[in-house]
Amino acid sequence: VRPEPLRDEDTLDTWLARRAGEFIRENRESPFLLFVGFHAPHAPMAFPVEFAGKYRPEQMPLGRSSADDERWTPKIFRNFSPEQKREVVAGYYTCVEYLDKNAGLVLDSLTANGLDDDTLVVYVSDHGYLLDDHRRFEKHTMWEPAVQTPLLVRAPSLAKPGTVSTELVELVDLVPTFTEATGQPPITPNQGKSLLPVLKNPKANHRDAIFSEYLIDRLAMLRTDDYKYVFTTGEHDLGIGYETGNAPFGITHRLYDLRRDPDELRNLADDPR
């Protein structure tokens, strides 16, 4: 909940946003591909002093969990007090606002250089984040807050502003989207499917199921509109600093009815029905 000892003008992400603006200005006369990788809101949650105090920890919401989550909770999170948890959430919210400001600087640069109408802009992340959901503050899981990533697209000639689609998509779909939108030949082989049909018609069927895997913990997920199945070999305790301290738990199956149980609190894998 505390800022890093830097003012906004001296922080990394603000520097990246300004460099992106310089790139846009220097290349405005020709086609370009620009990737801007901001750090916020990734841990450690660093934001400038001007953003301190924007969110009061005591007003922050906490996540939901079930008794089943106790077995899988990493040791580093077990002794967090409710006050400490709310401080983490407040810090995360602050970083999101800081990120929003810097994404705005990039968009402002497009406007200033007259590129609003013919630039495809995609705002995306590599993962979501658990904010006390299932008693954790991280993303190395298959819970919805972790595997659902932000995906916002501004495509003036392709999509109506404000359109929302609930179709299932994967990050591998971005590359074929870029090549088709810009009239380039497809890159092969490629596992992705272009999102242009969904941009033009948000109800266009895209995928019946999506797949995700996390190799360190031997996790694999298959998700449809209604259900999610997660499999793990359980060969070892959780990895890269998120160990539970318990013995390896062996092969585990999880099945969730996402319509009736969107917070994934009831594992149906052992339910004979």
Side-chain angles (χ1 to χ4, degrees):
V1 78
R2 300 178 183 89
E4 60 179 332
L6 293 171
R7 293 199 172 275
D8 182 37
E9 62 181 323
D10 299 317
T11 55
L12 171 62
D13 283 359
T14 297
W15 180 82
L16 289 171
R18 288 174 175 164
R19 288 290 292 123
E22 293 173 11
F23 179 92
I24 290 169
R25 184 180 68 254
E26 294 167 357
N27 293 275
R28 63 181 181 272
E29 301 297 335
S30 60
F32 62 80
L33 172 65
L34 172 63
F35 175 86
V36 188
F38 292 118
H39 180 276
H42 200 288
M45 294 161 195
F47 52 86
V49 294
E50 291 94 332
F51 283 73
K54 282 182 171 285
Y55 296 89
R56 296 174 60 181
E58 64 270 19
Q59 296 178 344
M60 295 297 100
L62 295 181
R64 298 189 65 193
S65 63
S66 68
D68 185 52
D69 293 321
E70 176 61 30
R71 170 65 179 81
W72 318 101
T73 304
K75 288 190 295 184
I76 60 173
F77 303 128
R78 286 184 188 161
N79 294 324
F80 277 25
S81 67
E83 292 76 19
Q84 288 173 318
K85 291 180 178 181
R86 289 188 167 91
E87 285 192 353
V88 176
V89 177
Y92 188 92
Y93 281 23
T94 307
C95 280
V96 170
E97 183 168 335
Y98 168 55
L99 168 64
D100 183 66
K101 184 273 298 183
N102 285 317
L105 292 180
V106 178
L107 296 176
D108 289 346
S109 297
L110 291 174
T111 300
N113 288 279
L115 298 175
D116 276 2
D117 294 333
D118 60 355
T119 303
L120 175 67
V121 180
V122 178
Y123 174 95
V124 69
S125 176
D126 54 342
H127 54 74
Y129 202 75
L130 301 173
L131 291 173
D132 192 44
D133 313 282
H134 303 278
R135 307 182 189 181
R136 301 166 82 152
F137 292 89
E138 44 140 346
K139 74 277 185 155
H140 309 91
T141 74
M142 294 300 174
W143 307 116
E144 285 294 281
V147 294
Q148 280 201 349
T149 65
L151 178 57
L152 304 174
V153 179
R154 191 177 77 176
S157 62
L158 299 174
K160 182 180 178 182
T163 299
V164 177
S165 175
T166 58
E167 289 301 306
L168 298 173
V169 305
E170 296 183 343
L171 293 181
V172 292
D173 297 334
L174 292 178
V175 168
T177 302
F178 296 155
T179 54
E180 183 178 356
T182 54
Q184 302 301 308
I187 297 174
T188 56
N190 194 295
Q191 295 173 296
K193 295 175 60 179
S194 171
L195 296 172
L196 291 196
V198 181
L199 293 178
K200 296 174 181 178
N201 176 11
K203 295 184 179 180
N205 181 263
H206 186 69
R207 291 181 180 273
D208 294 324
I210 53 175
F211 175 77
S212 186
E213 60 186 345
Y214 180 55
L215 297 181
I216 293 176
D217 286 341
R218 304 294 194 270
L219 282 169
M221 178 199 83
L222 188 68
R223 187 204 193 284
T224 66
D225 283 330
D226 296 332
Y227 292 96
K228 176 188 290 185
Y229 169 67
V230 181
F231 169 85
T232 179
T233 62
E235 299 169 56
H236 49 70
D237 199 356
L238 303 180
I240 59 172
Y242 295 97
E243 292 79 9
T244 67
N246 299 316
F249 38 83
I251 290 176
T252 303
H253 304 272
R254 297 179 185 177
L255 178 66
Y256 298 100
D257 183 338
L258 298 176
R259 298 286 188 188
R260 297 182 179 181
D261 180 24
D263 294 313
E264 300 166 286
L265 301 177
R266 185 178 177 220
N267 182 8
L268 301 177
D270 295 327
D271 188 332
R273 292 173 295 178

